[in-house]
Amino acid sequence: MSRRNLLNLIGTAAGGAAMYQAMTSLGHAAESTYTGPIKLDGDPKGASVLILGAGLAGLVAALELRKAGYKVQVLEYHERAGGRNWTLRGGDKFTELGGIEQKCEFERGNYINPGPWRIPYNHHAILDYCKRLGVAMEPFVQVNYNAYMHNKDAFGGKPQRFRHIYSDFQGGVTELLSKAVNQDKLEEAVTKEDKEVLLAALRQWGALDANYKYAKNGLTSDRRGYDRDPGGGLSGEPVNSEPFSFKDVVKSRLWNRMQTGGVYEFQSAIFQPVGGMDMIAKAFQREVGRLIKFNAKVTTIKQDNRGVTVTYVDAKKGGRPQTATADYCLCTIPLSVLSQIDINVGSAMKAAIDAPPYAASIKIGLQFKRRFWEEDEQIYGGISYTNLPIAMIQYPSSNFFRTGKGVLLAAYTFGANAYEWTALPPAERLKKAVEFGAQIHPQQYQKEFENGISVGWHREPATLGCYAVWTDAARKQHYNNLCAMDGRIMLAGEHASYLPAWQEGSVLSALDAISRLHKRVVAR
Amino acid sequence: MSRRNLLNLIGTAAGGAAMYQAMTSLGHAAESTYTGPIKLDGDPKGASVLILGAGLAGLVAALELRKAGYKVQVLEYHERAGGRNWTLRGGDKFTELGGIEQKCEFERGNYINPGPWRIPYNHHAILDYCKRLGVAMEPFVQVNYNAYMHNKDAFGGKPQRFRHIYSDFQGGVTELLSKAVNQDKLEEAVTKEDKEVLLAALRQWGALDANYKYAKNGLTSDRRGYDRDPGGGLSGEPVNSEPFSFKDVVKSRLWNRMQTGGVYEFQSAIFQPVGGMDMIAKAFQREVGRLIKFNAKVTTIKQDNRGVTVTYVDAKKGGRPQTATADYCLCTIPLSVLSQIDINVGSAMKAAIDAPPYAASIKIGLQFKRRFWEEDEQIYGGISYTNLPIAMIQYPSSNFFRTGKGVLLAAYTFGANAYEWTALPPAERLKKAVEFGAQIHPQQYQKEFENGISVGWHREPATLGCYAVWTDAARKQHYNNLCAMDGRIMLAGEHASYLPAWQEGSVLSALDAISRLHKRVVAR
């Protein structure tokens, strides 16, 4: 079964959200083993390394190997460094498979990150590189209690505030459990003292009243908000809000995405580079840009007992193949592309290269005439979730309270959904994204929309997918073969890590690979 | 019973945390009724207003009344505007009751806000003024999953990561309730379908496995973190972490402060002005500074049927009393101070002025040689909570990842605790704060400490307390009498609002008062 087919199967059978869940449980979520800057002691004795791909893995390897004394050369398909570390701003152009070109028309100061868009506090390696390279960071607002949770089939299709669903679910759960505890219905023998402290905890956790009820009162309004907010002077008396019934909340299935802030890499604190994710790529490019040959499309990778020879052509103009040679090759080309390149490695690595399917995904950015989400709805950053095909709307975590135009990440979805989006011409994608988004923001979405841009990663020529999807079985069979050195060739990238789709995975993969390479070189 | 005595009683009986809880349930927590900039249409016909106090209530009133055409004069005790809106930076001095002076020795770029330090998204009025006055805002990190929860009497006195307690409590609650549901032990008759969706919700919410257990596996590690974090290449395989027993978590009472991010005004998104809270005061001062007479200590407030006459002396030099007169007076002096000033208002307003006690509180800021909380512990912003007398340690929400010195809010506590702190000389307070903090950060706290400063609000001469503590009974009896116009005199400030201690309360109180004043003036 081909990669594409398997991906389709997963996407179709489970739907975007379920697929995402599956990915998460397969390791899309974790912290780094990074313990500080890499030390490559010992003389490489003039050894040369050819790095394929100037994404984060390639950039880190180039920086560190050069520093350790290697002769380094990098071949990169695009005419910019960064790979999936990429930011689209006004004036940028992007051509997808099939030759369709889009131009970004965002006003200055606005952008979307088609690839990675946030960096968890627990991703030490990438954060350390940002610090060392002087990339300024600002908090990324992941959870916003005033954003919306939307299920087209619940609450009459009306979006609900995160704080309502969150508080009311928690209240309902704790009220039910309190009742069972109070009625001694739990199997466990609990001492009177244990029971008391458990009940106190449930009351505090769920905002229950003295009778262990989650009721309409100041306690619950202080979690879910008020009908009429407290104010000042003679006009200030507040009016409490009425919780939803627990049954309605449970049936709404809106709890499905409510733990977004509880997941390890989405926990606060979480960051983004000030000005766009590619500030990281630009910082690396300042360091190692002169080592990179841009617009180089790799066609063959050959090794023998003297070295590695790579053939490439100009990615834009075509023309005669050229070659680059080195003692060793670190290849960071995505497996989706590498599996189509002629490379003479052993059957174990070749099978590993062919193993993981790549996730299809799409992001759509829309520019609006004004930041209505802040001005009208007091939503500053964070994400609204929906089971419509756009999956989510993300509000920018920067330039808060500024007047002027603004850009939303107006769709971010995976699998079958993503294929359906890219089957449409770009203008149609925008139209649809506006239509769907109008179910979350009916007052403003159609009226304030100006322009937009969409990136389907499965249609991005140098990546052909968003990231490598490892199943437990595939990882067991192939992962070590993918990472082990094959003659003079090593692989690196998010696909060669336990943190698929994360920049941290790329960085750690590169550090692991060059450590092993260096050990071999100095042992010669 | 005097205000001070009542406060002592509350503080002693209940302890700082409990007192805080009581305050919260009494209305220390709410959203604004603000619906946009105030419109004071109609001609004030040359009317004059004397505003007492250049805190936020006074500043808002001065700005809006001047704009509406009033003659405005402001008397302020300090030589700066802002009142409790205040930031201490290197070089600043502060004299508390009894004449003890402290000098702040923080390195440039570091500060503490002795008063308000965060602005919730739902405080529309203050946020709108910030926007209109061009005060830049940045996210305030309230919840940090990697910060500590500490109970000196639990887990052997060892601080625990927020994410461990949070995940494990939630896992325990959902596991227990799942069991009760699976065994049909709940009183409610639930349909099979309802039961299934409830169980699915509990699994998702609590990260339970297929058997509804909260166990050691990838699911729970993806919430609470790993023992060995996932990495890249051949060195990347993760090791899952072992949850705490639910019983230990419940008995630890660390759940007590775990809902910090679920409370209405601590919910994300939450903000702080870039550079310190007093950037707001400075912005107002740019607008209305020339209307303010600084260093003016009010001694009497008299009214008759022609106007209001206020006597004041120079707060620093003393000397001969001076007078200021106007048609009306808006008095924003804290009730703790106003109750000691000779003011001829009716008995109802006088009783209201004397009614609410003021909370004692202290904040201590400590400077350290380096930002060890970021560098060693990956804590970027947020708060560690403890039941030691410091109550909390807050990590700065700005200048992330920068090298150099850093300042922590190293104690913030109320009631009896606060009195005990201020009974010590300033140098002793710092020594104690370092000793206590070393129980949370044993490796670095003593070693890296440099200097610090402490502000006890009950010892701040112009405030004599942190904020007015309204009980339900006192509010019912006195609040409307406090806010109603008495002849030519009106009161405003956080004490005249349903948002005690919040800047939003001050602003809304001022807007409510001047709306009523203006209505009366134009109706003449």
Side-chain angles (χ1 to χ4, degrees):
Chain A
M1 188 183 285
S2 78
R3 175 179 298 121
R4 181 61 61 90
N5 284 347
L6 176 55
L7 183 65
N8 265 327
L9 192 69
I10 299 174
T12 310
M19 188 179 175
Y20 180 84
Q21 294 289 339
M23 289 170 199
T24 300
S25 68
L26 292 171
H28 187 175
E31 186 179 352
S32 160
T33 49
Y34 187 68
T35 54
I38 192 171
K39 287 183 183 64
L40 299 179
D41 296 330
D43 186 357
K45 301 155 197 158
S48 60
V49 181
L50 179 59
I51 297 170
L52 306 182
L56 272 190
L59 291 168
V60 164
L63 183 78
E64 299 294 356
L65 290 173
R66 185 199 55 171
K67 198 194 290 179
Y70 286 83
K71 292 180 198 143
V72 176
Q73 191 183 350
V74 186
L75 301 180
E76 164 57 42
Y77 179 94
H78 290 291
E79 61 185 337
R80 60 171 180 85
R84 279 162 279 183
N85 178 303
W86 182 27
T87 302
L88 283 170
R89 301 179 182 83
D92 289 341
K93 287 175 188 170
F94 155 63
T95 305
E96 66 181 52
L97 283 187
I100 303 172
E101 189 185 80
Q102 296 175 68
K103 189 176 170 193
C104 184
E105 295 176 347
F106 296 161
E107 194 180 63
R108 195 180 163 83
N110 293 302
Y111 63 82
I112 65 160
N113 299 312
W117 48 318
R118 49 195 166 183
I119 306 178
Y121 73 89
N122 43 40
H123 284 188
H124 308 305
I126 178 79
L127 287 174
D128 194 31
Y129 276 101
C130 289
K131 184 172 180 172
R132 285 155 62 190
L133 297 175
V135 179
M137 304 295 272
E138 63 192 0
F140 177 97
V141 179
Q142 171 73 28
V143 180
N144 187 321
Y145 279 72
N146 206 36
Y148 290 110
M149 308 302 280
H150 177 253
N151 177 347
K152 60 187 164 58
D153 308 313
F155 291 109
K158 205 181 156 222
Q160 301 299 330
R161 298 284 187 183
F162 183 96
R163 60 187 147 85
H164 289 157
I165 302 302
Y166 196 87
S167 305
D168 295 354
F169 185 82
Q170 196 144 262
V173 167
T174 48
E175 178 180 315
L176 269 186
L177 185 56
S178 302
K179 190 181 282 182
V181 173
N182 268 318
Q183 297 175 346
D184 294 315
K185 291 208 170 160
L186 295 187
E187 211 169 45
E188 290 76 11
V190 279
T191 66
K192 189 163 170 293
E193 190 198 274
D194 285 353
K195 192 171 143 177
E196 271 171 19
V197 64
L198 175 56
L199 287 170
L202 293 173
R203 274 184 62 185
Q204 161 65 21
W205 197 263
L208 308 183
D209 68 16
N211 300 314
Y212 304 99
K213 292 284 178 200
Y214 182 78
K216 178 179 179 174
N217 56 37
L219 279 175
T220 59
S221 294
D222 195 29
R223 296 281 177 90
R224 69 193 313 286
Y226 295 79
D227 270 0
R228 187 169 173 282
D229 297 314
L234 294 182
S235 61
E237 199 171 4
V239 177
N240 293 323
S241 66
E242 179 78 67
F244 294 135
S245 88
F246 183 54
K247 200 169 169 173
D248 285 349
V249 172
V250 171
K251 284 176 72 176
S252 77
R253 292 191 172 270
L254 293 177
W255 41 261
N256 196 41
R257 298 305 287 270
M258 296 296 291
Q259 282 300 338
T260 170
V263 172
Y264 198 33
E265 327 81 335
F266 302 144
Q267 291 172 358
S268 51
I270 176 166
F271 297 96
Q272 64 182 9
V274 177
M277 189 56 82
D278 72 353
M279 300 310 279
I280 300 177
K282 288 177 193 294
F284 272 103
Q285 197 166 335
R286 281 194 296 272
E287 297 289 322
V288 296
R290 58 181 187 82
L291 307 178
I292 305 171
K293 180 155 191 67
F294 293 102
N295 296 315
K297 181 183 176 181
V298 170
T299 52
T300 68
I301 304 166
K302 296 289 173 188
Q303 60 175 328
D304 56 29
N305 51 20
R306 282 163 308 165
V308 183
T309 302
V310 169
T311 315
Y312 61 97
V313 294
D314 189 296
K316 289 194 164 165
K317 301 177 197 151
R320 278 200 314 156
Q322 295 177 271
T323 58
T325 59
D327 298 327
Y328 302 96
C329 174
L330 180 70
C331 175
T332 72
I333 296 172
L335 303 183
S336 45
V337 175
L338 184 60
S339 62
Q340 299 174 29
I341 290 174
D342 184 11
I343 178 171
N344 69 333
V345 291
S347 58
M349 183 180 271
K350 190 70 182 83
I353 290 169
D354 291 341
Y358 266 56
S361 79
I362 186 168
K363 277 188 181 177
I364 302 176
L366 301 180
Q367 177 166 293
F368 295 87
K369 289 171 201 147
R370 63 185 185 91
R371 298 173 186 246
F372 63 81
W373 50 94
E374 296 191 354
E375 291 169 5
D376 304 352
E377 308 218 44
Q378 290 77 50
I379 299 174
Y380 307 97
I383 299 167
S384 288
Y385 291 101
T386 172
N387 62 347
L388 294 170
I390 54 174
M392 65 173 71
I393 296 174
Q394 184 239 355
Y395 312 92
S397 289
S398 55
N399 297 331
F400 293 116
F401 303 100
R402 300 234 180 118
T403 48
K405 299 179 182 189
V407 166
L408 296 179
L409 174 60
Y412 179 28
T413 184
F414 290 86
N417 252 346
Y419 289 121
E420 283 182 27
W421 279 105
T422 50
L424 303 170
E428 283 296 306
R429 298 174 200 164
L430 305 184
K431 192 164 164 275
K432 280 256 176 215
V434 172
E435 279 170 24
F436 286 126
Q439 294 187 46
I440 316 292
H441 295 287
Q443 308 302 322
Q444 312 98 340
Y445 226 71
Q446 298 270 8
K447 195 172 135 197
E448 307 289 356
F449 167 69
E450 280 199 334
N451 59 61
I453 197 162
S454 57
V455 175
W457 279 103
H458 48 295
R459 298 183 66 79
E460 201 290 306
T463 323
L464 299 182
C466 177
Y467 64 95
V469 179
W470 283 103
T471 61
D472 284 349
R475 194 183 281 279
K476 197 171 173 188
Q477 193 179 346
H478 295 293
Y479 179 82
N480 284 0
N481 295 334
L482 187 82
C483 299
M485 195 161 186
D486 182 301
R488 295 171 172 273
I489 295 175
M490 295 185 97
L491 308 185
E494 57 83 19
H495 48 274
S497 83
Y498 284 83
L499 295 114
W502 288 101
Q503 295 180 104
E504 181 77 356
S506 307
V507 173
L508 290 176
S509 157
L511 293 176
D512 177 83
I514 63 175
S515 298
R516 287 184 283 125
L517 172 66
H518 184 67
K519 205 167 164 183
R520 174 160 153 181
V521 168
V522 295
R524 274 186 317 190
Chain B
M1 185 183 286
S2 78
R3 176 179 298 121
R4 181 62 60 90
N5 285 346
L6 176 56
L7 183 66
N8 265 327
L9 191 72
I10 297 174
T12 311
M19 188 179 175
Y20 181 83
Q21 294 288 338
M23 288 171 200
T24 300
S25 68
L26 293 173
H28 187 174
E31 185 180 353
S32 160
T33 49
Y34 187 69
T35 53
I38 192 172
K39 286 183 183 64
L40 300 178
D41 296 328
D43 186 357
K45 301 156 198 159
S48 59
V49 180
L50 179 59
I51 297 170
L52 305 183
L56 271 192
L59 291 167
V60 164
L63 184 77
E64 299 295 356
L65 289 174
R66 184 198 56 170
K67 200 193 289 179
Y70 287 83
K71 291 178 200 145
V72 176
Q73 192 184 348
V74 186
L75 300 182
E76 165 56 41
Y77 178 95
H78 290 291
E79 61 186 338
R80 60 171 180 84
R84 279 162 277 184
N85 178 303
W86 183 26
T87 302
L88 283 170
R89 301 179 182 83
D92 289 340
K93 288 175 186 171
F94 155 61
T95 305
E96 66 182 50
L97 283 187
I100 303 172
E101 188 184 81
Q102 295 177 68
K103 189 175 170 195
C104 184
E105 294 175 349
F106 296 161
E107 193 180 63
R108 196 181 163 83
N110 293 303
Y111 64 82
I112 64 159
N113 299 311
W117 47 318
R118 47 196 167 184
I119 307 178
Y121 74 89
N122 43 40
H123 284 188
H124 308 307
I126 179 76
L127 289 174
D128 194 30
Y129 276 101
C130 290
K131 184 172 180 173
R132 284 156 63 191
L133 297 175
V135 178
M137 304 296 273
E138 64 192 1
F140 177 98
V141 178
Q142 171 73 28
V143 180
N144 188 322
Y145 279 73
N146 206 37
Y148 290 110
M149 307 302 280
H150 177 251
N151 177 347
K152 61 187 163 61
D153 310 313
F155 292 109
K158 205 181 157 223
Q160 300 301 330
R161 299 282 188 185
F162 183 97
R163 58 186 149 83
H164 290 157
I165 303 300
Y166 196 89
S167 304
D168 295 353
F169 184 83
Q170 195 143 263
V173 167
T174 48
E175 180 180 313
L176 270 187
L177 185 56
S178 302
K179 191 181 282 184
V181 173
N182 268 318
Q183 297 174 346
D184 294 314
K185 291 207 171 161
L186 296 187
E187 210 168 45
E188 290 76 11
V190 278
T191 66
K192 188 164 172 294
E193 189 198 273
D194 285 353
K195 192 171 142 176
E196 272 172 18
V197 66
L198 175 57
L199 286 169
L202 293 172
R203 276 185 62 185
Q204 160 66 21
W205 197 263
L208 307 182
D209 68 15
N211 300 315
Y212 304 100
K213 293 281 177 202
Y214 183 78
K216 179 179 178 173
N217 56 37
L219 278 177
T220 59
S221 295
D222 194 28
R223 296 280 177 91
R224 68 191 313 286
Y226 295 79
D227 270 359
R228 186 167 176 284
D229 297 314
L234 293 181
S235 60
E237 199 171 2
V239 177
N240 293 324
S241 65
E242 179 77 66
F244 295 136
S245 88
F246 183 53
K247 200 169 169 173
D248 285 348
V249 172
V250 171
K251 284 176 72 176
S252 76
R253 293 193 171 268
L254 292 177
W255 41 262
N256 196 39
R257 299 303 289 268
M258 297 295 292
Q259 282 300 336
T260 171
V263 173
Y264 197 33
E265 328 81 333
F266 302 144
Q267 292 171 359
S268 52
I270 176 168
F271 297 95
Q272 64 182 10
V274 177
M277 189 55 82
D278 73 353
M279 301 308 280
I280 299 176
K282 289 176 192 295
F284 271 103
Q285 196 166 337
R286 280 194 297 273
E287 298 287 324
V288 296
R290 60 180 185 80
L291 307 178
I292 306 173
K293 181 157 191 65
F294 293 103
N295 296 316
K297 181 184 176 182
V298 170
T299 52
T300 66
I301 304 167
K302 297 291 174 189
Q303 59 174 330
D304 57 28
N305 52 19
R306 281 162 310 164
V308 182
T309 303
V310 170
T311 314
Y312 62 97
V313 295
D314 189 296
K316 290 195 163 163
K317 301 178 198 151
R320 281 200 313 157
Q322 295 177 269
T323 58
T325 58
D327 298 327
Y328 302 96
C329 173
L330 181 70
C331 175
T332 72
I333 296 172
L335 303 183
S336 44
V337 174
L338 184 59
S339 61
Q340 300 173 29
I341 290 175
D342 184 11
I343 179 172
N344 69 333
V345 291
S347 59
M349 183 182 270
K350 190 71 183 83
I353 289 170
D354 290 340
Y358 266 57
S361 79
I362 187 167
K363 277 188 181 175
I364 302 177
L366 300 179
Q367 177 165 293
F368 296 87
K369 289 172 200 146
R370 62 187 186 89
R371 297 171 187 247
F372 63 82
W373 51 93
E374 295 190 355
E375 291 169 6
D376 303 354
E377 308 218 47
Q378 291 76 50
I379 299 174
Y380 307 97
I383 299 168
S384 288
Y385 291 100
T386 172
N387 62 348
L388 295 170
I390 54 174
M392 65 173 73
I393 295 174
Q394 183 237 358
Y395 312 92
S397 289
S398 54
N399 297 331
F400 294 116
F401 303 99
R402 299 232 181 120
T403 47
K405 300 179 182 189
V407 166
L408 297 180
L409 174 61
Y412 180 27
T413 184
F414 290 87
N417 252 347
Y419 289 121
E420 283 182 28
W421 279 105
T422 50
L424 302 171
E428 284 296 305
R429 296 174 201 165
L430 304 184
K431 191 164 165 276
K432 280 254 175 217
V434 172
E435 278 170 26
F436 287 125
Q439 294 188 45
I440 316 293
H441 296 288
Q443 309 302 322
Q444 312 99 340
Y445 224 71
Q446 298 270 11
K447 196 173 134 197
E448 308 289 355
F449 166 69
E450 280 200 335
N451 60 60
I453 197 162
S454 57
V455 176
W457 279 104
H458 47 295
R459 298 183 67 79
E460 201 288 307
T463 323
L464 298 181
C466 177
Y467 63 94
V469 179
W470 284 102
T471 60
D472 283 349
R475 194 184 280 280
K476 197 171 173 189
Q477 193 180 346
H478 294 294
Y479 179 82
N480 284 0
N481 295 334
L482 187 81
C483 299
M485 195 161 185
D486 182 301
R488 294 171 172 276
I489 295 174
M490 296 184 96
L491 308 184
E494 57 82 18
H495 48 274
S497 83
Y498 284 83
L499 296 114
W502 287 101
Q503 297 182 101
E504 181 77 357
S506 308
V507 173
L508 290 176
S509 158
L511 293 176
D512 176 82
I514 62 174
S515 297
R516 286 184 284 124
L517 172 65
H518 184 67
K519 206 167 163 185
R520 174 160 151 182
V521 168
V522 296
R524 275 186 315 190

